[in-house]
Amino acid sequence: MTPEKVKLNWGSQKADLKKFKDSSYDDKSKMAYSIMTDKSLIGKTYEEIREIFGPNDGYFFNDTIPTYIVKDGKNKTEETWQLVFRMDKRYKVKEIFMHKNCCN
């Protein structure tokens, strides 16, 4: 999902990276646009992303790609979405995007 569609679907609020990992899914989804468009996260290492966002709670191909659920489909009619921090060969963030994790 594009950043523009994320903003349209869930709104936009400035990301508070210190509070992200303890925030509700509703708040995380509102911060997603800001995180996806924040160029300061590009180039961060795997370890830096884990320090900011905590352990992965999503999954995208393998465990070395940091992923974080921002919308949790609580029932079969809702979708689960996750922020994905795609890494380069040196395990530094090269891209941040939204990926549909599950269902509907």
Side-chain angles (χ1 to χ4, degrees):
M1 181 185 310
T2 66
E4 294 74 25
K5 190 158 183 176
V6 167
K7 185 177 183 180
L8 181 66
N9 287 350
W10 304 322
S12 174
Q13 84 182 38
K14 184 167 172 50
D16 185 338
L17 300 181
K18 293 181 191 241
K19 294 183 179 178
F20 181 87
K21 59 183 159 188
D22 296 321
S23 294
S24 69
Y25 290 123
D26 190 50
D27 288 339
K28 287 179 181 183
S29 66
K30 290 176 185 170
M31 289 186 230
Y33 173 80
S34 177
I35 292 168
M36 291 172 73
T37 57
D38 183 355
K39 300 299 182 201
S40 71
L41 295 171
I42 302 298
K44 295 279 187 198
T45 65
Y46 175 83
E47 292 80 13
E48 289 171 315
I49 294 299
R50 294 277 310 246
E51 186 175 313
I52 295 168
F53 294 96
N56 297 356
D57 61 1
Y59 185 82
F60 187 77
F61 289 108
N62 65 52
D63 291 334
T64 63
I65 302 172
T67 55
Y68 301 93
I69 303 293
V70 298
K71 271 294 186 187
D72 186 23
K74 296 177 185 153
N75 60 51
K76 292 181 182 177
T77 62
E78 296 178 9
E79 299 172 334
T80 298
W81 288 88
Q82 63 187 357
L83 271 175
V84 177
F85 292 80
R86 185 173 295 173
M87 310 303 271
D88 65 16
K89 292 178 183 178
R90 297 176 320 217
Y91 292 100
K92 292 187 176 188
V93 177
K94 70 176 183 178
E95 179 184 18
I96 304 167
F97 62 94
M98 187 67 60
H99 177 260
K100 185 172 154 181
N101 183 291
C102 179
C103 309
N104 196 358

